[in-house]
Amino acid sequence: MSPILYMVIPCFNEAVVLDETSDRLKKKYETLIQNGKISPKSRIVYVNDGSNDQTWEKILEKHNASHLFSGINLTRNRGHQNALLAGLMTVKNLADCVISMDADLQDDIDAIDAMLEQYNDGFDVVYGVRDNRETDTFFKRNTARLFYKVMKILGSQSVPNHADYRLLSARALDGLEQFQEVNLFLRGMVPMIGYPSATVYYKRGKRFAGESKYPLKKMMSFAIDGITSTSATPMRMIFWTGLAVFVLSVLTGIYVLISHSIQGRTVLGWSSTMVAIIAFGGLNLLAIGIIGEYIGKIFLEVKQRPRYIISDFITDDGTEKKK
């Protein structure tokens, strides 16, 4: 029996690309259904993440034009990861498998075929991994490489060059649902599920239209969230760095005492003293900042605020149901 495939696509101010995205996905779905690779019950679900343009109106328009399209409307902007999770959790009991992707058409939709093949071979998680970063700027390409190297050093299980283009089976979604943290980093959470996984490589294209939703400031914030949400290694690094500095200070103190008592001289030097003060002051501020990042996350977690609130969910009968 052909699997029921749902696609979940978070949208924030994506009105300018939804026509093209919908046309391409509709053709892909029709071909897959005709070839018996997916069930006619399969759907494409757009998640409106509090957009302030005509995104939700576009989603309603697409649904009215074709039963293939559905939509979820969040009460306000909750961020890409929360919007994605909202879609996944809403449709997980309606589908055999779910593919998530962005609306900007940078992810190659032809890779869906290969993902379905891997799913049929028994894999619960299929990662869409870009085969190169030729379309990126020099800065973004090298900072991305640095990010994945740092993540690996810190013990994160994230998949290099993988964003949020992936297939998850129904039982993988059940596993993901058990992760209750508020600070979401799905790229690091999905590998923790532990079910059999596979990789599909594809060529990532340029954004079809509109502007990137991840400028430098937001990318940096996302990277920090990714590291601190999946690894406690930075905290341990503070301990070992502090221990090393303590040992160094003890050895330096011993050296100064020996110089003064035995050799009759004391090492003097205003410059070296100032350098030491500035260095240790900076180290203390860095340590406090890292600890503060973790404390901030603890603060958000213990509040147990909802990660998202759904206003409307468009079903096949055309109604909008409050969730």
Side-chain angles (χ1 to χ4, degrees):
M1 183 180 294
S2 302
I4 299 175
L5 171 67
Y6 269 62
M7 291 196 71
V8 172
I9 305 174
C11 302
F12 177 67
N13 294 343
E14 299 287 7
V16 294
V17 302
L18 282 184
D19 284 337
E20 184 67 21
T21 301
S22 300
D23 288 345
R24 295 190 191 183
L25 286 176
K26 187 171 184 291
K27 291 177 182 177
K28 170 57 68 175
Y29 257 54
E30 289 173 345
T31 300
L32 291 172
I33 292 172
Q34 289 174 3
N35 293 336
K37 292 185 177 182
I38 62 174
S39 167
K41 296 181 181 179
S42 301
R43 296 291 181 267
I44 300 164
V45 182
Y46 292 118
V47 182
N48 179 40
D49 184 23
S51 300
N52 47 37
D53 64 355
Q54 300 301 307
T55 295
W56 181 240
E57 287 73 16
K58 278 284 184 183
I59 294 172
L60 292 174
E61 175 186 314
K62 298 307 172 187
H63 171 73
N64 292 331
S66 173
H67 69 280
L68 281 175
F69 298 102
S70 183
I72 296 171
N73 190 29
L74 302 187
T75 56
R76 68 181 184 89
N77 178 257
R78 293 296 301 160
H80 179 274
Q81 297 290 280
N82 287 288
L84 177 54
L85 184 70
L88 294 175
M89 294 299 102
T90 301
V91 307
K92 75 181 187 66
N93 294 323
L94 304 175
D96 296 313
C97 56
V98 178
I99 292 178
S100 59
M101 67 175 289
D102 292 336
D104 55 17
L105 293 175
Q106 288 188 281
D107 298 322
D108 183 9
I109 62 173
D110 289 329
I112 294 174
D113 300 71
M115 288 184 174
L116 288 170
E117 289 177 5
Q118 297 284 11
Y119 169 76
N120 291 327
D121 287 340
F123 292 98
D124 291 280
V125 181
V126 184
Y127 300 104
V129 177
R130 56 194 302 179
D131 58 4
N132 64 72
R133 305 191 71 94
E134 294 176 355
T135 57
D136 289 347
T137 62
F138 175 83
F139 176 78
K140 187 174 182 179
R141 181 166 56 250
N142 286 279
T143 52
R145 289 173 180 169
L146 177 62
F147 170 72
Y148 288 116
K149 287 181 180 179
V150 171
M151 291 289 285
K152 185 176 181 180
I153 292 172
L154 296 180
S156 174
Q157 300 181 49
S158 60
V159 179
N161 295 321
H162 164 69
D164 289 296
Y165 190 26
R166 68 177 75 89
L167 178 147
L168 296 172
S169 68
R171 72 168 183 165
L173 287 169
D174 286 336
L176 181 62
E177 187 178 27
Q178 297 181 46
F179 290 78
Q180 295 297 313
E181 56 254 50
V182 174
N183 301 282
L184 294 179
F185 184 66
L186 294 176
R187 302 178 196 184
M189 291 167 59
V190 171
M192 295 181 188
I193 297 174
Y195 287 124
S197 63
T199 299
V200 168
Y201 292 93
Y202 70 96
K203 188 177 294 294
R204 187 170 171 86
K206 294 182 178 180
R207 183 180 176 86
F208 176 76
E211 297 180 353
S212 171
K213 303 305 183 296
Y214 276 93
L216 179 59
K217 183 180 179 181
K218 204 167 184 178
M219 285 176 60
M220 292 295 293
S221 177
F222 187 67
I224 293 172
D225 283 341
I227 292 171
T228 55
S229 295
T230 58
S231 174
T233 302
M235 296 283 282
R236 298 190 187 101
M237 289 175 64
I238 291 175
F239 169 77
W240 290 111
T241 302
L243 181 62
V245 171
F246 173 73
V247 172
L248 181 61
S249 64
V250 170
L251 293 175
T252 302
I254 293 172
Y255 171 75
V256 171
L257 287 174
I258 292 174
S259 298
H260 179 73
S261 303
I262 298 177
Q263 300 177 359
R265 63 184 179 83
T266 303
V267 178
L268 301 175
W270 179 86
S271 299
S272 59
T273 301
M274 290 303 298
V275 169
I277 291 173
I278 293 171
F280 290 131
L283 182 63
N284 284 331
L285 290 174
L286 176 61
I288 292 171
I290 294 175
I291 294 171
E293 184 70 24
Y294 280 95
I295 292 175
K297 280 182 164 47
I298 294 171
F299 172 75
L300 293 175
E301 292 292 342
V302 298
K303 281 180 172 292
Q304 296 185 333
R305 289 175 176 171
R307 292 173 289 188
Y308 54 84
I309 298 176
I310 295 176
S311 171
D312 306 294
F313 176 35
I314 307 173
T315 58
D316 281 352
D317 59 11
T319 61
E320 299 177 16
K321 297 183 178 180
K322 302 290 183 180
K323 299 298 287 183

